[in-house]
Amino acid sequence: MKTKFQALADDRGASTAEYAIITLAAVGFAGLLLVILRSDEVKGMLLGLVRQALTVHT
């Protein structure tokens, strides 16, 4: 039978829980970026950057 300390020291499954939390955080961040990038203001800024990058200056 395990003592209380041994039960608390058992970290089996901790890596899986950490990966799950990191995955949820990444999905949340991706969702936030998607909302930001869909806004008209950001689309205009990105389009301006692309146009400026593709413009040939002589």
Coordinates of all heavy atoms in Angstrom, one line a residue:
M1 N 0.8 -1.2 0.0 CA 0.0 0.0 0.0 C 0.9 1.2 0.0 O 1.9 1.3 0.7 CB -0.9 0.0 1.2 CG -1.8 1.2 1.3 SD -3.3 0.7 2.2 CE -4.5 1.3 1.1
K2 N 0.5 2.2 -0.8 CA 1.3 3.5 -0.9 C 1.0 4.4 0.2 O -0.1 4.5 0.7 CB 1.0 4.2 -2.2 CG 1.5 3.5 -3.4 CD 1.2 4.4 -4.7 CE 1.7 3.7 -5.9 NZ 1.5 4.5 -7.1
T3 N 2.0 5.1 0.6 CA 1.8 6.2 1.6 C 1.3 7.4 0.9 O 1.3 7.5 -0.3 CB 3.1 6.5 2.4 OG1 4.1 7.1 1.4 CG2 3.7 5.3 3.0
K4 N 0.9 8.4 1.7 CA 0.4 9.7 1.0 C 1.5 10.3 0.2 O 1.3 10.8 -0.9 CB -0.1 10.6 2.1 CG -1.4 10.2 2.7 CD -1.9 11.3 3.7 CE -3.2 10.8 4.3 NZ -3.7 11.8 5.2
F5 N 2.7 10.3 0.7 CA 3.9 11.0 0.0 C 4.1 10.2 -1.3 O 4.4 10.9 -2.3 CB 5.1 11.0 0.9 CG 6.3 11.6 0.2 CD1 6.3 13.0 0.0 CD2 7.3 10.8 -0.3 CE1 7.4 13.6 -0.6 CE2 8.4 11.4 -0.9 CZ 8.4 12.8 -1.1
Q6 N 4.1 8.9 -1.3 CA 4.3 8.1 -2.5 C 3.2 8.4 -3.5 O 3.5 8.5 -4.7 CB 4.4 6.7 -2.2 CG 5.7 6.2 -1.5 CD 5.6 4.8 -1.0 OE1 4.5 4.3 -0.8 NE2 6.8 4.2 -0.9
A7 N 2.0 8.6 -3.1 CA 0.9 8.8 -4.0 C 1.1 10.2 -4.6 O 0.8 10.4 -5.8 CB -0.4 8.7 -3.3
L8 N 1.5 11.2 -3.8 CA 1.7 12.6 -4.4 C 2.9 12.6 -5.3 O 3.0 13.4 -6.2 CB 1.9 13.6 -3.2 CG 0.6 13.8 -2.4 CD1 0.9 14.7 -1.2 CD2 -0.5 14.4 -3.2
A9 N 3.9 11.8 -5.0 CA 5.2 11.8 -5.8 C 5.0 11.1 -7.1 O 5.8 11.3 -8.0 CB 6.3 11.2 -5.0
D10 N 3.9 10.3 -7.3 CA 3.7 9.6 -8.5 C 3.3 10.6 -9.6 O 2.2 11.2 -9.5 CB 2.6 8.6 -8.3 CG 2.4 7.6 -9.5 OD1 3.3 7.7 -10.4 OD2 1.4 6.9 -9.5
D11 N 4.1 10.8 -10.6 CA 3.8 11.8 -11.7 C 3.5 11.1 -13.0 O 3.6 11.7 -14.0 CB 5.0 12.7 -11.8 CG 6.3 12.1 -12.2 OD1 6.3 10.8 -12.3 OD2 7.2 12.8 -12.5
R12 N 3.0 9.9 -13.0 CA 2.6 9.2 -14.2 C 1.4 10.0 -14.8 O 0.5 10.4 -14.1 CB 2.2 7.8 -14.0 CG 3.4 6.9 -13.7 CD 2.9 5.5 -13.5 NE 2.2 5.4 -12.2 CZ 1.6 4.4 -11.8 NH1 1.6 3.2 -12.5 NH2 1.0 4.4 -10.6
G13 N 1.4 10.2 -16.1 CA 0.4 11.0 -16.7 C 0.6 12.5 -16.7 O -0.2 13.2 -17.3
A14 N 1.6 13.0 -16.0 CA 1.8 14.4 -15.9 C 2.2 15.0 -17.3 O 1.8 16.0 -17.7 CB 2.9 14.7 -14.9
S15 N 3.0 14.2 -18.0 CA 3.4 14.7 -19.4 C 2.2 14.8 -20.3 O 2.1 15.8 -21.1 CB 4.4 13.7 -20.0 OG 5.6 13.8 -19.3
T16 N 1.3 13.8 -20.2 CA 0.1 13.9 -21.0 C -0.7 15.1 -20.7 O -1.3 15.8 -21.6 CB -0.7 12.6 -20.8 OG1 0.1 11.5 -21.1 CG2 -1.9 12.6 -21.7
A17 N -0.9 15.4 -19.4 CA -1.7 16.6 -19.0 C -1.0 17.8 -19.5 O -1.7 18.8 -19.9 CB -1.8 16.6 -17.5
E18 N 0.3 17.9 -19.4 CA 1.1 19.1 -19.9 C 0.9 19.3 -21.4 O 0.6 20.4 -21.8 CB 2.5 19.0 -19.5 CG 2.8 19.1 -18.1 CD 4.2 18.7 -17.7 OE1 5.0 18.3 -18.6 OE2 4.5 18.7 -16.5
Y19 N 0.9 18.2 -22.2 CA 0.7 18.3 -23.6 C -0.7 18.8 -23.9 O -0.9 19.5 -24.8 CB 1.0 17.0 -24.3 CG 2.5 16.6 -24.4 CD1 3.0 15.4 -24.0 CD2 3.4 17.5 -24.9 CE1 4.3 15.1 -24.1 CE2 4.7 17.2 -25.0 CZ 5.2 16.0 -24.6 OH 6.5 15.7 -24.7
A20 N -1.6 18.3 -23.1 CA -3.0 18.7 -23.4 C -3.2 20.2 -23.1 O -3.9 20.9 -23.9 CB -4.0 17.9 -22.5
I21 N -2.6 20.7 -22.0 CA -2.7 22.1 -21.7 C -2.0 23.0 -22.8 O -2.6 24.0 -23.2 CB -2.1 22.4 -20.3 CG1 -3.0 21.8 -19.2 CG2 -2.0 23.9 -20.1 CD1 -2.4 21.7 -17.9
I22 N -0.9 22.5 -23.2 CA -0.2 23.3 -24.3 C -1.0 23.3 -25.6 O -1.0 24.3 -26.3 CB 1.3 22.7 -24.5 CG1 2.1 23.0 -23.3 CG2 1.9 23.2 -25.7 CD1 3.4 22.3 -23.2
T23 N -1.6 22.1 -25.9 CA -2.4 22.0 -27.1 C -3.6 23.0 -27.0 O -3.9 23.7 -28.0 CB -2.8 20.6 -27.4 OG1 -1.7 19.8 -27.5 CG2 -3.6 20.5 -28.6
L24 N -4.2 23.0 -25.9 CA -5.4 23.9 -25.7 C -5.0 25.4 -25.8 O -5.6 26.2 -26.4 CB -6.1 23.6 -24.4 CG -6.9 22.4 -24.3 CD1 -7.4 22.2 -22.9 CD2 -8.0 22.4 -25.3
A25 N -3.8 25.7 -25.3 CA -3.3 27.1 -25.3 C -3.0 27.4 -26.8 O -3.3 28.5 -27.2 CB -2.1 27.2 -24.5
A26 N -2.4 26.5 -27.5 CA -2.1 26.8 -28.9 C -3.3 27.0 -29.8 O -3.4 27.8 -30.6 CB -1.2 25.6 -29.5
V27 N -4.3 26.2 -29.5 CA -5.6 26.3 -30.3 C -6.3 27.6 -29.9 O -6.8 28.3 -30.8 CB -6.5 25.1 -29.9 CG1 -7.9 25.4 -30.4 CG2 -6.0 23.8 -30.5
G28 N -6.2 28.0 -28.7 CA -6.8 29.3 -28.3 C -6.0 30.5 -29.0 O -6.6 31.4 -29.4
F29 N -4.7 30.4 -29.0 CA -3.9 31.4 -29.6 C -4.2 31.5 -31.1 O -4.3 32.6 -31.7 CB -2.4 31.2 -29.4 CG -1.5 32.3 -29.9 CD1 -1.5 33.5 -29.3 CD2 -0.7 32.0 -30.9 CE1 -0.7 34.5 -29.8 CE2 0.2 33.0 -31.4 CZ 0.1 34.3 -30.8
A30 N -4.3 30.3 -31.8 CA -4.6 30.3 -33.2 C -6.0 30.9 -33.5 O -6.2 31.6 -34.5 CB -4.6 28.9 -33.7
G31 N -7.0 30.6 -32.6 CA -8.3 31.2 -32.8 C -8.2 32.7 -32.6 O -8.9 33.5 -33.4
L32 N -7.5 33.2 -31.7 CA -7.3 34.7 -31.5 C -6.7 35.3 -32.7 O -7.1 36.4 -33.2 CB -6.5 35.0 -30.3 CG -6.2 36.4 -29.9 CD1 -7.5 37.2 -29.6 CD2 -5.3 36.5 -28.8
L33 N -5.6 34.7 -33.3 CA -5.0 35.2 -34.5 C -6.0 35.2 -35.7 O -6.0 36.2 -36.5 CB -3.8 34.4 -34.8 CG -2.5 34.6 -34.0 CD1 -1.4 33.6 -34.5 CD2 -2.0 36.1 -34.2
L34 N -6.8 34.2 -35.8 CA -7.7 34.1 -36.8 C -8.7 35.3 -36.8 O -9.0 35.9 -37.8 CB -8.5 32.8 -36.8 CG -9.5 32.5 -37.9 CD1 -8.7 32.4 -39.2 CD2 -10.2 31.2 -37.7
V35 N -9.2 35.6 -35.6 CA -10.1 36.7 -35.4 C -9.5 38.0 -35.7 O -10.0 38.9 -36.4 CB -10.7 36.7 -33.9 CG1 -11.4 38.0 -33.6 CG2 -11.6 35.5 -33.7
I36 N -8.2 38.2 -35.3 CA -7.5 39.4 -35.6 C -7.2 39.6 -37.1 O -7.4 40.7 -37.7 CB -6.2 39.5 -34.8 CG1 -6.5 39.6 -33.3 CG2 -5.3 40.6 -35.3 CD1 -5.3 39.5 -32.4
L37 N -6.8 38.5 -37.7 CA -6.4 38.6 -39.2 C -7.7 38.8 -40.1 O -7.5 39.2 -41.2 CB -5.6 37.4 -39.6 CG -4.2 37.3 -39.0 CD1 -3.5 36.0 -39.4 CD2 -3.4 38.5 -39.4
R38 N -8.8 38.5 -39.6 CA -10.1 38.6 -40.4 C -10.6 40.1 -40.3 O -11.5 40.4 -41.1 CB -11.1 37.7 -39.9 CG -10.9 36.3 -40.3 CD -12.1 35.4 -40.0 NE -11.9 34.1 -40.6 CZ -12.9 33.2 -40.6 NH1 -14.0 33.4 -40.1 NH2 -12.6 32.0 -41.1
S39 N -10.1 40.9 -39.5 CA -10.6 42.3 -39.4 C -10.1 43.1 -40.6 O -9.1 42.8 -41.2 CB -10.1 42.9 -38.1 OG -8.7 43.2 -38.2
D40 N -11.0 44.0 -41.1 CA -10.7 44.8 -42.3 C -9.4 45.6 -42.1 O -8.7 45.8 -43.1 CB -11.9 45.7 -42.6 CG -13.1 44.8 -43.1 OD1 -12.9 43.7 -43.6 OD2 -14.2 45.3 -42.9
E41 N -9.2 46.2 -40.9 CA -8.1 47.0 -40.7 C -6.7 46.2 -40.9 O -5.8 46.7 -41.6 CB -8.1 47.6 -39.3 CG -7.0 48.6 -39.0 CD -7.2 49.2 -37.6 OE1 -8.3 49.4 -37.2 OE2 -6.1 49.6 -37.1
V42 N -6.7 45.1 -40.3 CA -5.5 44.2 -40.5 C -5.3 43.8 -41.9 O -4.2 43.8 -42.4 CB -5.5 43.0 -39.5 CG1 -4.4 42.1 -39.7 CG2 -5.5 43.5 -38.1
K43 N -6.4 43.4 -42.6 CA -6.3 43.0 -44.0 C -5.7 44.2 -44.8 O -4.9 43.9 -45.7 CB -7.7 42.7 -44.5 CG -8.1 41.3 -44.2 CD -9.5 41.0 -44.8 CE -10.1 39.7 -44.4 NZ -11.4 39.5 -45.0
G44 N -6.2 45.4 -44.6 CA -5.7 46.5 -45.3 C -4.2 46.8 -45.0 O -3.4 47.1 -46.0
M45 N -3.8 46.6 -43.8 CA -2.3 46.8 -43.5 C -1.5 45.7 -44.1 O -0.4 46.0 -44.7 CB -2.1 46.7 -41.9 CG -2.6 48.0 -41.2 SD -2.4 48.0 -39.4 CE -1.7 46.5 -38.9
L46 N -1.9 44.5 -44.1 CA -1.2 43.4 -44.7 C -1.1 43.6 -46.3 O -0.1 43.4 -46.9 CB -1.8 42.1 -44.4 CG -1.6 41.6 -42.9 CD1 -2.4 40.3 -42.7 CD2 -0.1 41.5 -42.6
L47 N -2.2 44.0 -46.9 CA -2.2 44.2 -48.3 C -1.3 45.4 -48.7 O -0.6 45.3 -49.7 CB -3.7 44.6 -48.7 CG -3.9 44.7 -50.2 CD1 -3.5 43.4 -50.9 CD2 -5.4 45.0 -50.5
G48 N -1.3 46.4 -47.8 CA -0.3 47.5 -48.1 C 1.1 47.1 -48.0 O 1.9 47.5 -48.8
L49 N 1.4 46.2 -47.0 CA 2.8 45.7 -46.9 C 3.2 44.9 -48.1 O 4.3 45.0 -48.6 CB 2.9 44.9 -45.6 CG 3.0 45.6 -44.3 CD1 2.9 44.7 -43.2 CD2 4.3 46.4 -44.3
V50 N 2.3 44.1 -48.6 CA 2.6 43.2 -49.7 C 2.7 44.1 -51.0 O 3.7 43.9 -51.8 CB 1.5 42.2 -50.0 CG1 1.6 41.5 -51.3 CG2 1.5 41.2 -48.8
R51 N 1.9 45.1 -51.2 CA 2.0 46.0 -52.3 C 3.3 46.7 -52.3 O 4.0 46.9 -53.3 CB 0.8 46.9 -52.4 CG -0.4 46.3 -52.9 CD -1.5 47.3 -53.0 NE -2.8 46.7 -53.5 CZ -4.0 47.2 -53.3 NH1 -4.1 48.3 -52.7 NH2 -5.0 46.5 -53.8
Q52 N 3.7 47.2 -51.1 CA 4.9 48.0 -51.0 C 6.1 47.1 -51.3 O 7.1 47.5 -51.9 CB 5.0 48.6 -49.6 CG 6.3 49.4 -49.3 CD 6.3 50.0 -47.9 OE1 5.5 49.6 -47.1 NE2 7.2 50.9 -47.7
A53 N 6.1 45.8 -50.8 CA 7.2 44.9 -51.0 C 7.3 44.5 -52.5 O 8.4 44.3 -53.0 CB 7.0 43.6 -50.2
L54 N 6.2 44.5 -53.2 CA 6.2 44.1 -54.6 C 6.4 45.3 -55.6 O 6.6 45.1 -56.8 CB 4.9 43.4 -55.0 CG 4.7 42.1 -54.3 CD1 3.4 41.5 -54.7 CD2 5.8 41.1 -54.6
T55 N 6.4 46.5 -55.1 CA 6.6 47.7 -55.9 C 8.1 47.9 -56.2 O 8.9 47.8 -55.4 CB 6.1 49.0 -55.1 OG1 4.7 48.8 -54.8 CG2 6.3 50.2 -56.0
V56 N 8.3 48.1 -57.5 CA 9.7 48.3 -58.0 C 10.0 49.8 -58.0 O 9.3 50.6 -58.6 CB 9.9 47.7 -59.4 CG1 11.3 47.9 -59.9 CG2 9.5 46.2 -59.4
H57 N 11.0 50.2 -57.2 CA 11.5 51.5 -57.2 C 12.7 51.7 -58.1 O 13.6 51.0 -58.1 CB 11.9 52.0 -55.8 CG 10.7 51.9 -54.8 ND1 9.8 52.9 -54.7 CD2 10.4 51.0 -53.9 CE1 8.9 52.6 -53.8 NE2 9.2 51.4 -53.3
T58 N 12.6 52.7 -59.0 CA 13.7 52.9 -59.9 C 14.5 54.1 -59.5 O 14.2 55.0 -58.8 CB 13.2 53.1 -61.3 OG1 12.3 54.2 -61.3 CG2 12.6 51.8 -61.8

